[in-house]
Amino acid sequence: MAAIITRSELPEGRPTVTYRTAGDRYVLVEYGAEATVDLCANFFVHEVARRIAASPIPGVRETAPGLRSLLVRFIPRQISQCDLVAALEEVHHQVPPPASLTVPSRRIVLPIAFDDSTSREAVHRYLITIRPDAPNVINGNNIDYVSRYNGFADRDDLYSAILNTEWWNAFTGFYPGLPSLLPLDPRCRITAPKYNPARAWTAEGAVGLGGPCIVIHPLETPGSYQLLGRTLPIADLVRSERSRSLDPVMFLYGDRIQFERVEEGELIELRRQAFEGAYEYRIELGEYSVSEHLAEVSRLSDEVTSRHAEPASAVRKVQIP
């Protein structure tokens, strides 16, 4: 069975498509160029997933959107791999070019306490038990490392980059309820290498950065993202009498997250309310216009080029080996 089934060139500004075998019950569909972070490809992925959900393909049981991919689970007795690819190709031709899309998108406002005590505790455990010479730990935290890596003058510039944009949930995965967030304002792009090796412990609600993505941990787990702070619980994977009025996982793909800074004492109180079911999560239904997004990105292109050309020397100084 061939790893690559076929490739397709879609017309009118749509991304290229590569169909890959992923076992005998899955097809992995990849969009656009490899090893790139392309929000337009992600907008296209989301629209394909929505159209399949609205008009199911017989024999398809599940789709899982990724950053620039869609994993499709099918029942071979009901549809062959060849017929599945043909059906997916038909869907792809029905989806408009990304620049023409307006997509469903909720806006979720979450508090964040930067450089909180649980993040420092995770860093401290890492130094003691795993890597005492970790170069990504400065003054007992990851904040100062991320600030230097991105060429910021200080941590307040880093905080501003996180707070001054909405973060697009490109996909939810790796484990249940973990969102991978990208900034919609290109001026707020930040990046950092992951831990090497990974941490053994990360607190639930921790906010971390790995590569270009911010994540929020839905439960206590190991982890490798640089720790930025902490927010509210975002999942209810184990129900209890004091359960929050949430779905098992909060985030849908295509959600937009806006962070608001609070002090740790205030966050602790808000988390108490959330666990007792008294906190009202701030979730607004809405839509997101891709054409307006692209127009704004184009308008800011010169400023973005200037902003991201400066940190190179700082990045080399703190690069993890």
Side-chain angles (χ1 to χ4, degrees):
M1 186 177 292
I4 296 178
I5 304 167
T6 188
R7 288 191 172 96
S8 173
E9 295 288 340
L10 300 178
E12 300 176 10
R14 299 172 178 87
T16 58
V17 183
T18 301
Y19 300 89
R20 296 181 182 273
T21 298
D24 58 359
R25 293 177 179 269
Y26 292 85
V27 167
L28 180 66
V29 190
E30 295 181 342
Y31 302 87
E34 294 185 17
T36 59
V37 178
D38 184 354
L39 275 177
C40 278
N42 190 247
F43 296 141
F44 194 83
V45 169
H46 290 188
E47 186 63 20
V48 172
R50 275 189 289 271
R51 293 200 175 215
I52 294 174
S55 300
I57 298 172
V60 170
R61 287 294 175 264
E62 184 181 12
T63 61
L67 176 59
R68 47 172 291 273
S69 66
L70 186 71
L71 184 65
V72 181
R73 181 166 72 93
F74 67 101
I75 306 301
R77 290 192 301 271
Q78 298 179 16
I79 186 170
S80 68
Q81 185 189 80
C82 181
D83 288 343
L84 172 60
V85 169
L88 291 170
E89 188 73 356
E90 184 176 344
V91 174
H92 293 146
H93 279 83
Q94 294 170 357
V95 175
S100 302
L101 294 173
T102 297
V103 297
S105 177
R106 305 182 305 171
R107 184 174 185 270
I108 302 173
V109 180
L110 288 175
I112 183 171
F114 291 113
D115 197 16
D116 64 292
S117 58
T118 57
S119 296
R120 284 181 168 267
E121 173 63 20
V123 171
H124 181 64
R125 294 188 191 186
Y126 182 74
L127 290 177
I128 291 175
T129 63
I130 297 178
R131 189 171 180 183
D133 63 340
N136 59 313
V137 178
I138 301 174
N139 300 321
N141 67 81
N142 297 148
I143 294 284
D144 295 324
Y145 169 80
V146 174
S147 296
R148 294 184 189 181
Y149 191 90
N150 286 274
F152 291 122
D154 53 36
R155 56 170 53 193
D156 285 334
D157 284 350
L158 171 63
Y159 297 163
S160 294
I162 295 168
L163 299 172
N164 290 342
T165 184
E166 293 177 332
W167 291 84
W168 178 261
N169 185 24
F171 65 98
T172 302
F174 295 119
Y175 49 83
L178 181 81
S180 289
L181 311 174
L182 294 169
L184 287 169
D185 186 332
R187 296 171 296 180
C188 296
R189 292 173 187 155
I190 54 177
T191 186
K194 299 177 184 178
Y195 274 50
N196 180 25
R199 286 185 309 278
W201 178 77
T202 309
E204 169 270 313
V207 180
L209 173 71
C213 291
I214 277 182
V215 301
I216 304 173
H217 286 255
L219 66 164
E220 288 189 9
T221 62
S224 60
Y225 283 33
Q226 308 295 336
L227 294 173
L228 303 173
R230 200 180 195 192
T231 187
L232 297 175
I234 62 162
D236 200 10
L237 301 175
V238 180
R239 294 287 182 174
S240 67
E241 292 181 2
R242 297 192 343 171
S243 175
R244 301 178 302 282
S245 56
L246 291 176
D247 291 331
V249 297
M250 175 185 288
F251 293 115
L252 308 174
Y253 59 81
D255 281 344
R256 289 165 291 138
I257 290 79
Q258 181 75 58
F259 291 108
E260 289 187 352
R261 186 178 182 180
V262 299
E263 296 303 318
E264 185 172 8
E266 182 179 353
L267 180 67
I268 290 171
E269 170 58 22
L270 295 176
R271 286 177 57 82
R272 181 191 64 79
Q273 295 175 20
F275 281 113
E276 292 180 353
Y279 182 81
E280 192 70 30
Y281 284 81
R282 296 162 61 185
I283 303 175
E284 306 166 6
L285 300 179
E287 295 180 327
Y288 192 71
S289 169
V290 177
S291 62
E292 292 179 8
H293 167 79
L294 294 177
E296 183 68 3
V297 170
S298 177
R299 185 182 70 82
L300 296 171
S301 59
D302 289 343
E303 185 177 348
V304 171
T305 300
S306 175
R307 157 70 184 89
H308 293 288
E310 297 172 358
S313 61
V315 169
R316 286 193 293 270
K317 291 177 182 177
V318 295
Q319 180 81 41
I320 291 181

